[in-house]
Amino acid sequence: MTAFASGARLRRALVVTAAALLLGAAVPPAARATPEPKAPKEFVALRSVDPTIIQEMRYTTAHNFVGEPVDGYRQPVCILTRPAAEALHRAQVRLLRQGRSLKVYDCYRPQRAVDHFVRWAKDLGDERMKAEFYPLVPKSRLFADGYIAEKSGHSRGSTVDLTVVELPAARTRPYVPGERLVPCHAPREERFPDNSVDMGTGFDCFDTLSHTEDPRVRGAQRANRQLLKGTLAAEGFVNLPEEWWHFTYKPEPFPGTYFDFPVSRRSVAGH
């Protein structure tokens, strides 16, 4: 090969390389990255419909059965389909007249969060939050007993986890990772402090005492559960019998769709 031919090949290689670099520089990184999905226009931030409903979005914090913020929860914002949000507003109006308020723990839940729950449940060595959230249930039983599943109605956008708070609402202290945990079915004065009325267990308590109609729950605790259930049922919500806090608005706008856009204000911005 002549020195001329070798030099020509080198020049062509340099030209191709330079062109590739220029092409890459012309496309900004944000444009090359896969954009995050946004919520359909039928979804809204609950605060835009009713700013009086208290929000304590547990999965943006470490105070949940996983023990860390959950995938997909970017900001502590409740997102729901508009019909569900408007129905919650009507229920809130009823409670405000009684000196009470709704408080939501979780609303729309992206599929990536559900996937996080599934990975965690399969890791039998991670039991950092067992003493509070599932003290009597072996972690190996969470799938079989129905506490964890690969799909959640929350991902369809019309399911909400919530409770009732007496007004004026007391302040609640933040959870400190590593602090001593108390069983979620312990007496209210012993459980982690929550400004909810006494429902007999804490939120996300993996125990049969969480069943809405469990006969062992009596007196004021039972009355509080019936207040929540009756108030929401009057506005079209159906309770999951195994969880006193879990309600789905019917009919659902998206009964067969499991969304995966992140929980953030940007997901519903501009609607």
Side-chain angles (χ1 to χ4, degrees):
M1 179 182 296
T2 66
F4 176 80
S6 177
R9 289 189 176 185
L10 178 59
R11 286 193 295 274
R12 284 197 298 271
L14 289 173
V15 169
V16 171
T17 301
L21 289 172
L22 287 172
L23 180 61
V27 181
R32 292 197 300 270
T34 302
E36 282 281 16
K38 292 194 69 173
K41 60 181 177 58
E42 292 87 354
F43 282 76
V44 296
L46 175 61
R47 201 171 298 280
S48 70
V49 176
D50 192 321
T52 70
I53 295 175
I54 301 168
Q55 299 189 26
E56 184 184 320
M57 306 302 291
R58 283 288 186 88
Y59 299 139
T60 64
T61 76
H63 190 213
N64 58 65
F65 59 85
V66 176
E68 62 187 11
V70 177
D71 290 355
Y73 287 87
R74 306 277 177 81
Q75 294 173 318
V77 54
C78 171
I79 298 174
L80 289 168
T81 59
R82 181 173 289 280
E86 291 176 346
L88 276 191
H89 166 66
R90 295 191 298 270
Q92 176 73 342
V93 170
R94 289 168 172 263
L95 288 175
L96 288 175
R97 294 183 184 130
Q98 305 171 39
R100 302 181 175 98
S101 172
L102 293 172
K103 179 174 81 169
V104 295
Y105 294 113
D106 191 35
C107 302
Y108 157 75
R109 180 184 304 166
Q111 181 60 45
R112 70 191 76 180
V114 179
D115 296 341
H116 190 169
F117 292 164
V118 170
R119 291 194 306 273
W120 166 82
K122 291 179 179 178
D123 180 4
L124 300 183
D126 181 358
E127 293 191 326
R128 73 188 100 163
M129 303 301 285
K130 177 177 175 60
E132 178 173 351
F133 291 96
Y134 52 110
L136 302 179
V137 181
K139 192 174 183 184
S140 60
R141 292 286 310 172
L142 294 184
F143 284 106
D145 290 354
Y147 293 113
I148 300 293
E150 294 186 352
K151 294 290 184 182
S152 169
H154 282 274
S155 301
R156 301 194 296 262
S158 296
T159 294
V160 60
D161 294 336
L162 72 175
T163 188
V164 174
V165 172
E166 294 281 357
L167 295 176
R171 293 185 62 121
T172 56
R173 70 170 178 83
Y175 165 75
V176 179
E179 69 176 86
R180 187 179 74 87
L181 301 176
V182 176
C184 54
H185 54 68
R188 183 189 184 194
E189 59 273 15
E190 298 176 17
R191 299 195 300 263
F192 184 86
D194 187 330
N195 58 6
S196 168
V197 299
D198 190 2
M199 294 290 190
T201 76
F203 165 62
D204 260 356
C205 187
F206 295 176
D207 192 279
T208 54
L209 274 174
S210 294
H211 293 189
T212 308
E213 303 292 343
D214 190 289
R216 294 169 293 175
V217 177
R218 301 176 181 175
Q221 297 172 342
R222 189 172 190 84
N224 289 333
R225 291 187 182 191
Q226 293 303 315
L227 171 66
L228 178 62
K229 182 179 178 181
T231 302
L232 292 176
E235 302 302 339
F237 285 93
V238 177
N239 175 238
L240 179 68
E242 291 77 19
E243 299 177 351
W244 60 257
W245 57 82
H246 181 116
F247 292 82
T248 299
Y249 178 76
K250 301 287 186 177
E252 294 184 67
F254 300 100
T257 306
Y258 297 87
F259 294 96
D260 193 38
F261 58 86
V263 176
S264 71
R265 296 178 186 89
R266 180 175 295 180
S267 291
V268 291
H271 284 187

